[in-house]
Amino acid sequence: MTDTADAISVLPTQPSQLSLTALFLKFLRFGALAFGGPVAQIAMIRQSLVEEEGWIEPRRFNRLLAILQILPGPEAHELCVHMGMVARGRIGGLLAGLGFMLPGFLLMLLAGWLYMGWIAGNPSMTGLLLGVQIVVLAIILRAVARIGQHIVESRLLGVIAAIAFAATLLGVPFWLLLAAGAIAHMMPDRPWLAIAIMLGLTVAAKLILPYLPLPHAAPIAASGAPVTLAMLFLAGLKGGLLTFGGAYTAIPYVRADTVGRGWISDATFLDGVALAGLLPAPLVIFATFVGYVVGGPAGAIAITVGMFLPAFAFSLLFFERLEAVVEHPALHHALAGVAAAVLGIIAATFVDLARATGAHINNGLIALPLFAVALLVAWRVKGAWVTPAIMGAGALMGCLLPL
């Protein structure tokens, strides 16, 4: 085994000689600097490992990114796992992925501890938190529009997203909408038949599913449901498996399994999303906060393992096969339909969260302009500093909200 200094000296041509310790520390550094969301994180990794150190060719890197964007999971984290595999095989991929996520995970544990001990239930913090929640809603709405720009490439996909949006608000299970979106878009040459199938499945679900002996998600704001580590793990796993089109797509699934069971309020859930936007980590690290609030450190670990497990598994176990499979045209159509349905589900979740937040606002003269300005800034201004800046401004403005 070469020492760290020697390994680093040969990185431009021989990343395989990087020691496992040095590999872990390299990606730990990436994780500590991972501010600004996936675009900034991916740009940082590309600059260091592709342009400066030449681990892989730029064309291969671009193809890798295209595949990761089709698959569920946070792209930047999956990219780190794969680059670790390039250097030192599967053990390298495991260490790279752990290194990248560890700073955000530890910081979110600290944030959860501070939140529960000093912020939650403190009347003097209520307005501040409400202002941040309003800003987070604006950021989520901007994310819906940004995701939609990449996903809605045809009228049919737009219709699939719209049907999924309305059906989610009507209480149709998400899994049926994902299946319906995939089936509908596998026949893009017959759009009217595809739309009829999507509508037919949605109506049938609304009329028939309540009478079938199937497990149903608890209604939002239910109370008294028991909390178990297994259920938190499954909540994270569902989010990790269904994160198509960006980390924001995990929000509705984690919310349904936590807020929906009465374990956490919508307001606290939004606080977790806000904290995740401030930390150097993939946005899905908000699940760690939710797990901590619901089940303490053990709950945080359980839901985090579930959330990140698919990202590790796809790269470590199946990447070579997936690289061939995702090139099949029929699968491309199906995944595009799933992504469109997910877009509609996120939009419906935004509406639900906005309703829950609006119930705590007594003066729209401050709340509505705050939302509008935050949305405008998030829409027009780019940079890693934007999210922390508008959240800070939202916190200050929230202190003016009468409670």
Side-chain angles (χ1 to χ4, degrees):
M1 183 73 67
T2 60
D3 61 30
T4 301
D6 290 339
I8 292 176
S9 69
V10 296
L11 271 180
T13 56
Q14 298 179 346
S16 62
Q17 293 188 16
L18 185 66
S19 72
L20 293 176
T21 300
L23 177 71
F24 175 78
L25 292 176
K26 176 179 283 290
F27 283 90
L28 186 70
R29 176 180 176 274
F30 287 152
L33 299 175
F35 294 97
V39 174
Q41 293 161 7
I42 291 171
M44 173 180 61
I45 296 167
R46 180 189 179 100
Q47 175 69 26
S48 177
L49 301 186
V50 179
E51 298 180 8
E52 295 178 4
E53 301 182 10
W55 283 28
I56 62 175
E57 293 293 325
R59 287 186 179 180
R60 181 180 171 190
F61 184 87
N62 293 338
R63 185 183 180 191
L64 173 62
L65 274 184
I67 295 170
L68 295 181
Q69 288 169 357
I70 294 173
L71 300 176
E75 300 98 324
H77 181 266
E78 289 177 325
L79 179 62
C80 287
V81 174
H82 188 76
M83 295 302 288
M85 290 179 63
V86 168
R88 294 300 305 271
R90 285 185 167 82
I91 184 63
L94 179 63
L95 290 175
L98 289 174
F100 185 71
M101 66 173 287
L102 190 59
F105 173 71
L106 294 177
L107 287 172
M108 187 56 91
L109 282 180
L110 176 62
W113 177 75
L114 292 173
Y115 183 90
M116 295 300 293
W118 302 90
I119 298 176
N122 186 341
S124 63
M125 302 294 290
T126 304
L128 182 150
L129 293 174
L130 188 57
V132 173
Q133 291 161 18
I134 293 171
V135 169
V136 172
L137 286 173
I139 293 172
I140 293 176
L141 182 58
R142 175 64 183 110
V144 171
R146 182 180 292 114
I147 295 169
Q149 290 173 350
H150 297 287
I151 289 176
V152 182
E153 298 177 341
S154 67
R155 291 181 180 179
L156 177 57
L157 288 172
V159 172
I160 291 173
I163 294 174
F165 169 76
T168 301
L169 293 178
L170 292 174
V172 176
F174 78 90
W175 54 266
L176 190 140
L177 294 174
L178 298 183
I183 295 170
H185 200 249
M186 289 181 73
M187 49 188 71
D189 296 332
R190 292 175 284 179
W192 291 111
L193 177 59
I195 293 171
I197 290 174
M198 183 88 180
L199 287 173
L201 289 174
T202 301
V203 172
K206 188 64 179 175
L207 296 177
I208 298 174
L209 284 182
Y211 301 99
L212 296 179
L214 298 173
H216 297 284
I220 297 299
S223 61
V227 180
T228 67
L229 294 181
M231 294 174 76
L232 283 171
F233 170 78
L234 290 175
L237 185 63
K238 181 189 295 184
L241 286 171
L242 300 173
T243 308
F244 290 93
Y248 284 95
T249 59
I251 290 176
Y253 309 118
V254 178
R255 175 177 177 263
D257 283 339
T258 54
V259 178
R261 291 189 168 98
W263 296 344
I264 187 174
S265 69
D266 269 321
T268 302
F269 184 88
L270 281 174
D271 291 338
V273 177
L275 288 170
L278 297 174
L279 298 180
L283 184 71
V284 294
I285 207 70
F286 77 84
T288 301
F289 174 87
V290 173
Y292 188 93
V293 171
V294 171
I301 293 172
I303 198 170
T304 305
V305 169
M307 178 64 75
F308 283 90
L309 184 59
F312 279 103
F314 281 125
S315 289
L316 291 177
L317 301 178
F318 307 118
F319 185 83
E320 292 84 356
R321 295 180 181 178
L322 287 170
E323 192 169 1
V325 171
V326 296
E327 293 183 357
H328 195 284
L331 183 58
H332 273 223
H333 288 306
L335 289 175
V338 169
V342 168
L343 177 65
I345 293 171
I346 304 173
T349 301
F350 164 79
V351 172
D352 287 337
L353 288 170
R355 289 172 177 170
T357 302
H360 299 285
I361 297 174
N362 295 324
N363 188 350
L365 293 178
I366 296 177
L368 289 177
L370 173 59
F371 176 83
V373 171
L375 181 61
L376 179 63
V377 173
W379 203 290
R380 300 299 297 268
V381 182
K382 297 181 180 180
W385 60 272
V386 174
T387 296
I390 58 178
M391 285 186 182
L396 294 175
M397 291 297 296
C399 295
L400 303 177
L401 290 170
L403 305 171

